[in-house]
Amino acid sequence: MKRALPSAIVPRIDRSAGIAYHRQIFQSYRAAILDGQLRPGQRLPSTRMLARKLGISRLPVLDAFERLLQEGYVVGRVGSGTYVSAAGFDRAETVDRAVDVGPFRVSAPALDQFPHHIWRRLVARHARNMPIDMMAYGDPLGHLPLRMAIVEYLRSTRGVSCDESQVLITSGSQMGLQLCALALLGRADSVGVEDPGYFGARRALGIGGATVRPVPVDTEGLLVRALGSGRGRCPRVVYVTPAHQYPLGVPMAQSRRFELLEWVRCNEAWIIEDDYDSEYRYVDPPLGSLQGMDGGTRVIYMGTFSKAVFPSLRVGYIVVPRSLVKTFVDYRESLDLFSSTLYQAVLADFLREGHFVSHLRRMREVYKSRRDALVDALARRLDNMLSIVNADAGLHLTALLPQGIDDRRIARAVGERGISALPLSACYAGKETRAGLVLGFGCADETQLDRAVEVLAHVIESKCVGQKWSC
Ligand SMILES: Cc1ncc(COP(=O)(O)O)c(C=O)c1O
């Protein structure tokens, strides 16, 4: 049923602001979608009606709607109007990730700490002496020296059981996820994803039309018993982040790992193990990979250099069971023949010459200090309002808010102050949600984090007043 636009979100035009009307209209709707005031499926007024209501020409309204459409906040249905898109929030989040550089940004490493001088030297070396065969078409699996260096790293640090013929270089984990969707899932299949979970995985795994099924997560990881059983009735693929559950940060317990592996064997399903962030653990050594426990038969292992090197490199990898290598390579070639050989060669040297491991060792100290600063500041300023789920690893932590607090409203309010906190409720695909904030600490130093917590505390204190939960 079509729902009318609540009058509260009809954009108000400030004629004296010196900001173009189309921008004001666009920003107002975008904010309403982010805030949750406008929900997926809700209808926007016609451009003609809105222009009349605002007392302006139709042109700026059309421009604003065009941009909302382009950026995926709304969808247009011929002859029936414009509606808030189902992917509205995810889309907004992606756009924010690309443009927002505030503290607490999730998935953002400390790019200023990267050993640029070493990288420059390696790029120059390869660019100067590029042999002719490196200019030709490359191996769809990826540059062999890089695959060999990855195998060595994964065997020694993550207990992954593989050789280089099973490693496929991808354009980041996102491409790895798309390949899994193409190779493992048909339209009639379903894929189980952690809930809350990584929106990038939900989006990529659903591209071929498979049903994406949210599966709850508790303090030990994905609830295996919620997957159900029986071929055709339960998911064919399960996506998990066992080293550091995204976004809650809990590692998957050993007993849960055994349970999941047993479930997968009984139901002839596949696991996608996204081992993002496994490089950064600040307490006891991490548990090894699920892939290693399984012997590499039913697990597709996935890693990326986006955090440990830098995201614009767009190099990730998947380790594929032997029985699936050919299928994955065929799909890889159909998406894109192979990744840029020059940067694969540079990265191979970065690993082989020990720069990667030294960089990780140094960054573990940097991030640990930032994490400690954030944990301390939250304890000092927001101890009675935020409870940290787990801060033992990774580049972000998740802190829960008391029941009744609207985390999107808080995220929006701190966003207006240049701070990008991700609302936990936005990470859920199912009905059950918890309110909280996902706070990155990778790209801001201790002083910036301290200041950001101060702003967050002010916002939470002011926004709590008048809500069900009282400060
Ligand atoms: C859970 C998870 N997996 C993977 C990635 C990395 O993706 P990519 O390698 O495509 O940059 C991220 C980055 O945000 C992530 O949060």
Side-chain angles (χ1 to χ4, degrees):
M1 215 185 76
K2 293 169 187 173
R3 280 175 278 172
L5 185 77
S7 56
I9 60 91
V10 170
R12 226 181 286 138
I13 299 286
D14 182 350
R15 289 167 200 274
S16 61
I19 301 171
Y21 292 160
H22 66 91
R23 279 193 70 185
Q24 293 193 40
I25 297 167
F26 167 77
Q27 283 169 351
S28 173
Y29 277 128
R30 180 181 183 273
I33 292 167
L34 274 169
D35 260 356
Q37 291 176 50
L38 275 175
R39 306 299 305 166
Q42 209 158 348
R43 189 180 183 179
L44 267 56
S46 74
T47 51
R48 204 177 301 276
M49 199 249 270
L50 193 59
R52 210 173 36 241
K53 238 181 152 101
L54 296 171
I56 59 175
S57 100
R58 204 170 146 222
L59 223 59
V61 181
L62 285 169
D63 283 351
F65 274 45
E66 183 58 36
R67 188 159 166 211
L68 287 165
L69 267 168
Q70 271 173 10
E71 297 197 4
Y73 294 106
V74 298
V75 286
R77 293 181 202 158
V78 180
S80 86
T82 307
Y83 296 82
V84 176
S85 94
F89 196 88
D90 279 358
R91 178 74 192 127
E93 190 184 314
T94 315
V95 172
D96 278 352
R97 275 203 328 167
V99 297
D100 194 338
V101 291
F104 297 157
R105 199 176 149 210
V106 178
S107 304
L111 299 176
D112 57 336
Q113 303 282 329
F114 185 70
H116 297 272
H117 60 293
I118 296 174
W119 188 258
R120 256 198 312 272
R121 183 159 50 73
L122 296 180
V123 172
R125 182 203 287 170
H126 282 278
R128 250 197 319 268
N129 305 319
M130 186 144 66
I132 292 288
D133 62 347
M134 254 178 66
M135 296 167 72
Y137 284 100
D139 187 337
L141 274 172
H143 190 52
L144 181 60
L146 176 60
R147 287 188 282 127
M148 289 168 72
I150 289 172
V151 168
E152 202 177 312
Y153 172 74
L154 292 180
R155 276 199 198 134
S156 60
T157 61
R158 306 296 300 128
V160 171
S161 147
C162 68
D163 64 37
E164 57 278 6
S165 69
Q166 294 170 265
V167 177
L168 202 161
I169 304 297
T170 58
S171 173
S173 299
Q174 206 59 27
M175 181 192 261
L177 290 161
Q178 286 175 11
L179 289 174
C180 290
L182 294 168
L184 305 175
L185 290 162
R187 296 182 76 84
D189 292 321
S190 70
V191 49
V193 295
E194 296 168 328
D195 200 37
Y198 179 44
F199 73 96
R202 289 202 294 270
R203 198 161 44 184
L205 292 169
I207 51 166
T211 306
V212 178
R213 264 180 56 183
V215 182
V217 171
D218 68 8
T219 51
E220 303 205 323
L222 180 113
L223 262 188
V224 177
R225 66 169 185 275
L227 289 169
S229 63
R231 243 191 127 172
R233 291 198 304 277
C234 66
R236 181 164 160 72
V237 175
V238 183
Y239 166 85
V240 283
T241 49
H244 180 238
Q245 201 277 329
Y246 184 94
L248 298 177
V250 294
M252 188 183 277
Q254 192 72 349
S255 55
R256 197 60 68 78
R257 289 167 187 246
F258 283 121
E259 199 187 340
L260 179 59
L261 290 172
E262 182 57 21
W263 181 91
V264 157
R265 265 190 291 272
C266 291
N267 292 285
E268 295 177 39
W270 301 98
I271 295 175
I272 302 171
E273 175 177 22
D274 182 349
D275 209 22
Y276 90 105
D277 264 4
S278 62
E279 301 87 1
Y280 300 119
R281 190 161 173 87
Y282 311 113
V283 287
D284 44 328
L287 290 170
S289 62
L290 268 176
Q291 196 271 7
M293 289 172 74
D294 160 70
T297 54
R298 300 217 71 90
V299 179
I300 293 95
Y301 176 93
M302 185 173 291
T304 179
F305 290 101
S306 285
K307 316 280 179 57
V309 180
F310 52 88
S312 71
L313 184 62
R314 301 315 300 147
V315 176
Y317 49 89
I318 49 177
V319 178
V320 182
R322 288 183 201 286
S323 60
L324 292 176
V325 170
K326 183 170 176 340
T327 312
F328 270 77
V329 170
D330 284 350
Y331 280 114
R332 206 286 178 222
E333 284 190 290
S334 74
L335 284 185
D336 181 20
L337 298 182
F338 60 97
S339 299
S340 158
T341 308
L342 173 65
Y343 286 106
Q344 291 190 66
V346 172
L347 186 57
D349 282 359
F350 193 69
L351 267 76
R352 285 191 304 196
E353 293 177 11
H355 308 300
F356 182 63
V357 170
S358 324
H359 176 54
L360 289 183
R361 201 175 300 129
R362 201 172 75 77
M363 293 314 291
R364 240 173 251 129
E365 293 306 311
V366 170
Y367 292 138
K368 182 175 182 309
S369 163
R370 292 179 178 192
R371 177 205 70 151
D372 291 348
L374 177 57
V375 170
D376 286 353
L378 291 174
R380 245 183 298 114
R381 286 297 278 113
L382 284 160
D383 197 29
N384 59 337
M385 303 184 195
L386 286 176
S387 90
I388 296 172
V389 181
N390 187 308
D392 291 348
L395 302 187
H396 72 259
L397 60 81
T398 291
L400 300 177
L401 283 157
Q403 288 296 341
I405 299 286
D406 182 348
D407 55 3
R408 292 183 192 229
R409 204 168 148 220
I410 289 172
R412 173 94 198 119
V414 293
E416 281 161 7
R417 292 160 178 79
I419 291 170
S420 52
L422 174 65
L424 176 62
S425 63
C427 300
Y428 285 86
K431 286 203 192 82
E432 292 294 315
T433 64
R434 288 289 316 260
L437 296 170
V438 187
L439 306 174
F441 51 79
C443 67
D445 66 23
E446 291 78 351
T447 314
Q448 290 166 324
L449 289 167
D450 208 56
R451 276 199 218 119
V453 169
E454 203 54 46
V455 175
L456 183 61
H458 281 297
V459 166
I460 292 183
E461 279 155 10
S462 63
K463 294 283 166 194
C464 285
V465 178
Q467 291 209 19
K468 211 169 83 188
W469 181 77
S470 126
C471 308

